[in-house]
Amino acid sequence: MTRLNLGYGTNGLTDLRLPDALALLADLGYDGVGLTLDHMHLDPLGPELAARTKETAVLLGRHGLSVAVETGGRYVLDPRRKHGPSLVDPEPEGRAARTDLLVTAVRIAADLGATAVHCFSGNTPPGTDPATAWRRLADSLTPVLAAAEAAGVPLAVEPEPGHLLATLDDFHHLRALLGDPEPLGLTLDIGHCQCLEERTPAACVRDAGPWLRHVQIEDMRRGVHDHLPFGEGEIDFPPVLEALAATGYQGLTVVELPRHSHAGPELARSSMEFLRPWSGKAEAC
């Protein structure tokens, strides 16, 4: 049974400078980091991106951390519209801006030696029929998948509550629309499984195994999309983590607590304590 490679998301450490966040995670025993590209941590739209990416690669190497690139920054493209514009935006210019951001993320990921690039679809705009929204999503992702294939970095799409692509079944619908391209994989958020999937989180993990390229983890309650620290929700974690280890998944399993940055260092510590029995580093100790 594969031991898990544990990471923590920088979107839960936004009150720390990136070098301080990476040092903290290394000291706590994490294997890697889910690096959200945003204005506070490796801004993908800022100046001298190549130089800053190189500096980040050096820091990751110094601390022995692997990395997955995440693209869920709330206002990285539009300072007034959360997660806007999206891949299914009504305006072609908006969709193109999101596509360009993801292509940039793929290039950053290649330079960092990342395990995957994460993304999600976005909400279906009001008045948009499903067929149109799915066509926009497929068309918007096509250049990103081409970049991912060229870079040798998988693109891991996340089912997100409330979005066009919200469930595992939706992920498979996208795969079919795109012709099941090799670079297309799945980000599975364990909390989201508890929130809205009909199957248990452990069953979702088993079903998703062949397509897993990135995993996010936190506690959650049924029907409530609120990322919670471990023990504050309803998930029975041992069966979930055992199922995940049994898949042979070797990417990062990243703690995702984006609304808890005010307590980020303490939650990074307590999350590692909770997850340590399944950690690859724990096995080596």
Side-chain angles (χ1 to χ4, degrees), residues 124-139:
T124 303
T128 302
D129 66 272
T132 297
W134 282 107
R135 184 173 65 252
R136 289 174 183 167
L137 178 60
D139 290 347

Side-chain angles (χ1 to χ4, degrees), residues 87-249:
L87 295 168
V88 294
D89 203 74
E91 299 300 326
E93 297 83 0
R95 299 196 299 274
R98 181 62 61 172
T99 294
D100 288 346
L101 175 66
L102 294 180
V103 170
T104 297
V106 168
R107 293 174 182 149
I108 292 170
D111 290 341
L112 295 178
T115 58
V117 172
H118 146 279
C119 70
F120 43 56
S121 67
N123 299 314
T124 303
T128 302
D129 66 272
T132 297
W134 282 107
R135 184 173 65 252
R136 289 174 183 167
L137 178 60
D139 290 347
S140 297
L141 282 177
T142 297
V144 187
L145 288 163
E149 184 170 28
V153 179
L155 183 70
V157 179
E158 178 187 8
E160 181 78 18
H163 284 207
L164 172 67
L165 196 157
T167 66
L168 286 172
D169 288 345
D170 292 336
F171 167 73
H172 291 302
H173 180 62
L174 177 65
R175 285 180 54 237
L177 281 177
L178 289 167
D180 197 17
E182 178 63 28
L184 180 64
L186 172 70
T187 292
L188 187 69
D189 187 303
I190 302 302
H192 295 172
C193 297
Q194 176 71 20
C195 179
L196 57 75
E197 294 281 359
E198 294 181 0
R199 293 154 286 189
T200 66
C204 289
V205 169
R206 288 190 290 270
D207 292 345
W211 298 278
L212 285 180
R213 301 297 179 268
H214 187 50
V215 173
Q216 297 171 344
I217 190 166
E218 69 286 316
D219 216 340
M220 204 168 285
R221 301 186 182 100
R222 183 70 179 168
V224 182
H225 185 202
D226 187 9
H227 292 235
L228 299 172
F230 298 112
E232 295 187 13
E234 300 171 341
I235 298 176
D236 181 15
F237 279 99
V240 174
L241 294 164
E242 289 165 7
L244 185 56
T247 67
Y249 170 70

Side-chain angles (χ1 to χ4, degrees), residues 31 68 71 86 136 138 143 159 178 189 192 202 256 260 278:
D31 302 282
T71 62
S86 77
R136 289 174 183 167
L178 289 167
D189 187 303
H192 295 172
E256 186 81 358
H260 293 77
W278 292 275

